[in-house]
Amino acid sequence: MIRSSKGATLEWEGTNLPEAPTAPETMEQAGLSLGFMNALILRTLYTRGGMVGLDLARFLCLPFKVIEEPLQFLKDEKCLEVTGGDLIGRVSYRFMITDLGRARAQEAMKLCGYIGPAPVPLDDYVEQSYRQAVTGIHCDPESLRTSFSHLVLPEALFNAIGPAIVSGKSAFLYGPPGNGKTSIATAIGDFMTRAGGEIYVPHAFLSDDSVITVFDKAVHQASEEDGRDRFEDNEATIRRLLNAGAVDARWVRIRRPVLITGGELNLAMLDLRYNPESNFYQAPLHIKANGGVFLIDDFGRQLVSPKELLNRWILPLESRHDYLTTADGKKFEVPFEELIIFSTNLDPRDLVDEAFLRRIRHKVEIRAPEREVYERIFTMNARRLGMNQCGEAIDYLYDRYYLQNRSPRCSDCRDLLEIVQAICRYRKQPVQLTKDLMAEAADTFISEF
C-alpha cells in the first residue's frame, strides 16, 4: 500500500510495469494553461524556425488536438501564419512566426527560456511517483538471487539485504573498502527493475509558473521500447498523436535509476539548480533518483558534513517527502521515494549520532571475505578473463599478504588478474596465470607502507 499525493491509498497490483500515464486530449487534461502553451509555442518557433503541425506536436510531446487551440489563438493574434500544407488537415500546416510573434517570443524568453517537451503538472508527477514507489516492490530470496547471481555473497549478507529492499527505507553499508558495496547497490537497482518494472519520469514538471526538468540522459536509462518509439515512422507517429488512449509522450519509460554520488556531494546538489539566464530549474539528484536507488558512497568524506546532511534529510527520511524552494521563495512538496544507501569505510559511530542511526533502518556490515568466498570470486574473474586456474597464485597471496598485514578484498581478485593480463599482453605472450606473474602483479598493486 502506498500513499498518493491527494492522501488516498493506492494498491500495488504486483504487475511488472506501473500504470503508464495516459495522453491528454485537452489542455485542461494536460494541466497547462493557454498562456503557458502560447509562450512555449512561440519560444519553440522563434528558436527552431517554421514547423509543420505534426512536427511541433512531436517536439512538444503532446497530441496535436491539445495544441490546436493555442495555435489557432496565436494565428488569430497575428503571431503565427500558415505558409502551406493541407493534405491531412491542420496537422500538416506549416506554422511560421511573424514579426509580432517574434517580439512576443522575446518577451516570453525573458520570463522563461525553457524549450522542449511540455511539462506535466506537479500533482501528476507526485501521483505517478507514489504509484511506482520502491516500497511497493515484492521481494523474496528466490526473486532476489537472479539480480545477485553475478556476485559472490555470504548467505548472511544476502539475507540482510532483502529486508532492506522490502522496507524501501534506508540502509547503511559499512566495512573495509573493495568488498562490493557499490556493486551491491547496483544489483539492488537491477532487482527493482526486474521485480517492480520500469518506471516513468517526466521530461519536466510545472509548479506554479516554474519549469523543473527531471529526465536526465546522464543518469536515466530509457528502456529499449521507449527508445524505439522515438524513431517510429511518420504513419505510426500520426496515429499516436491523433488517437486517444496512447501513453503520454511527456513521460519517458526508464529502468529504475541508480544514482551514485561520492565525496563531491554538497548541500547545493540537494536543492533545485536554477539557471538565471534561462529562468528554469533542474531537479536535484535525490529527486532524479525517485523510484530507484540513491547511493551516497564514501559517506563521511563528502564536502558536506554528516551532521549537515542529517539536518537536511531528517524530515525526508521520516516522512518520505521533501520540500524544494524556487528562486522567489516559493516552496512545494515532492516525493522522496527511493532506497537511500549510505556506504562507508569508516565506523558509523564515528560519523553520526544515535538520532541519525535510528533513522537508518538497516545497518549491514560487509566484512572482508573468508577464503572460500575469495577463491570463488577469484575463480569467477579468472574465467571471465579466459585464464587458467592456479591455486598456487592464491596460496602466494595469502602467505605473502593476507595472513600477514593486509586483509583480503573482493576487488583484489579483479584488479590483480587484470594486471596479470596486461603484463602478458605487453610481453606478447599467451595470457597464462602463474605464481610468478601473480607475485609480479601484487608487487606493483599492493602497497606495504
Side-chain angles (χ1 to χ4, degrees):
M1 306 287 282
I2 52 180
R3 184 173 70 88
S4 80
S5 63
K6 301 172 183 176
T9 301
L10 306 173
E11 187 77 34
W12 179 263
E13 300 294 342
T15 58
N16 287 329
L17 180 66
E19 182 180 351
T22 304
E25 297 189 40
T26 64
M27 276 198 303
E28 183 179 3
Q29 289 182 7
L32 302 171
S33 67
L34 178 61
F36 180 88
M37 286 302 304
N38 288 342
L40 180 59
I41 290 173
L42 286 175
R43 291 196 301 267
T44 302
L45 296 178
Y46 176 73
T47 56
R48 296 179 63 88
M51 298 179 72
V52 172
L54 173 65
D55 292 333
L56 180 59
R58 179 190 295 171
F59 180 80
L60 299 178
C61 293
L62 288 169
F64 182 76
K65 65 178 70 175
V66 174
I67 68 171
E68 272 191 295
E69 181 182 347
L71 285 173
Q72 184 62 51
F73 178 89
L74 291 170
K75 182 175 178 294
D76 293 342
E77 290 288 305
K78 311 300 182 184
C79 293
L80 299 181
E81 60 183 2
V82 176
T83 60
D86 59 2
L87 294 178
I88 54 175
R90 293 181 180 179
V91 72
S92 66
Y93 288 179
R94 183 171 184 81
F95 295 91
M96 298 288 294
I97 194 168
T98 65
D99 289 341
L100 176 60
R102 192 170 291 107
R104 292 190 179 178
Q106 291 171 346
E107 294 175 3
M109 292 282 283
K110 295 177 182 178
L111 298 176
C112 176
Y114 176 77
I115 298 169
V120 305
L122 172 61
D123 285 348
D124 288 2
Y125 170 65
V126 172
E127 191 78 32
Q128 185 68 23
S129 295
Y130 283 121
R131 288 186 181 278
Q132 54 202 25
V134 295
T135 50
I137 298 176
H138 173 74
C139 177
D140 57 43
E142 292 72 26
S143 59
L144 187 60
R145 287 188 188 281
T146 300
S147 294
F148 282 78
S149 60
H150 64 295
L151 301 177
V152 180
L153 300 179
E155 194 67 15
L157 174 57
F158 179 81
N159 289 330
I161 293 171
I165 298 175
V166 170
S167 73
K169 300 294 183 181
S170 53
F172 211 133
L173 305 183
Y174 64 98
N179 288 315
K181 293 185 289 295
T182 303
S183 297
I184 288 172
T186 303
I188 291 173
D190 178 73
F191 166 76
M192 286 181 171
T193 295
R194 289 173 182 267
E198 295 173 322
I199 62 174
Y200 290 88
V201 297
H203 286 279
F205 66 81
L206 187 66
S207 175
D208 291 332
D209 297 323
S210 299
V211 176
I212 297 95
T213 61
V214 178
F215 176 68
D216 185 346
K217 291 182 179 179
V219 298
H220 293 138
Q221 181 182 349
S223 71
E224 293 181 4
E225 180 176 338
D226 194 274
R228 287 195 299 270
D229 288 346
R230 297 180 187 283
F231 292 97
E232 61 195 358
D233 58 33
N234 282 341
E235 182 179 353
T237 303
I238 291 172
R239 288 198 304 269
R240 176 172 60 79
L241 292 173
L242 296 182
N243 293 346
V247 174
D248 191 341
R250 294 177 295 172
W251 298 79
V252 185
R253 180 173 163 180
I254 65 166
R255 293 178 57 83
R256 290 183 180 265
V258 178
L259 270 72
I260 301 175
T261 181
E264 74 279 7
L265 180 65
N266 58 57
L267 287 181
M269 296 169 68
L270 304 179
D271 292 325
L272 290 171
R273 289 181 57 186
Y274 178 60
N275 186 330
E277 295 182 359
S278 55
N279 294 317
F280 65 90
Y281 302 83
Q282 184 179 144
L285 290 178
H286 62 292
I287 301 305
K288 294 180 181 180
N290 269 331
V293 178
F294 189 25
L295 171 63
I296 302 175
D297 208 1
D298 286 332
F299 182 61
R301 304 185 190 277
Q302 278 70 36
L303 297 175
V304 54
S305 71
K307 183 178 181 179
E308 289 177 308
L309 186 60
L310 166 63
N311 291 335
R312 173 64 179 83
W313 272 355
I314 193 168
L315 174 63
L317 285 173
E318 289 277 0
S319 63
R320 312 292 292 177
H321 64 259
D322 193 15
Y323 289 95
L324 301 179
T325 307
T326 57
D328 58 3
K330 294 180 180 178
K331 289 182 178 287
F332 59 93
E333 182 181 321
V334 288
F336 191 79
E337 276 297 337
E338 64 233 49
L339 177 62
I340 299 288
I341 299 179
F342 299 90
S343 169
T344 184
N345 306 328
L346 308 174
D347 189 329
R349 292 169 296 185
D350 296 335
L351 294 174
V352 292
D353 58 24
E354 185 60 32
F356 187 81
L357 288 177
R358 181 178 63 81
R359 286 171 170 82
I360 302 178
R361 297 293 178 85
H362 302 268
K363 293 87 171 174
V364 181
E365 183 178 6
I366 302 178
R367 302 182 177 91
E370 299 290 340
R371 177 156 182 167
E372 182 269 336
V373 171
Y374 185 93
E375 290 180 352
R376 288 168 58 194
I377 298 173
F378 191 96
T379 299
M380 182 177 67
N381 279 276
R383 188 180 300 116
R384 177 178 62 84
L385 296 173
M387 291 184 182
N388 57 295
Q389 303 301 313
C390 181
E392 290 183 345
I394 297 178
D395 291 339
Y396 171 81
L397 292 173
Y398 270 84
D399 292 341
R400 178 69 178 80
Y401 298 103
Y402 299 147
L403 295 179
Q404 303 302 322
N405 58 358
R406 187 185 198 275
S407 296
R409 300 175 182 175
C410 298
S411 59
D412 285 353
C413 304
R414 175 200 62 210
D415 295 336
L416 288 167
L417 288 171
E418 288 182 354
I419 293 174
V420 170
Q421 182 190 53
I423 292 172
C424 293
R425 290 175 59 189
Y426 175 72
R427 295 174 180 170
K428 298 181 180 179
Q429 66 186 49
V431 178
Q432 188 77 12
L433 179 59
T434 65
K435 174 184 175 181
D436 290 341
L437 280 172
M438 180 54 68
E440 186 175 349
D443 187 56
T444 63
F445 177 71
I446 299 178
S447 300
E448 297 186 81
F449 53 83

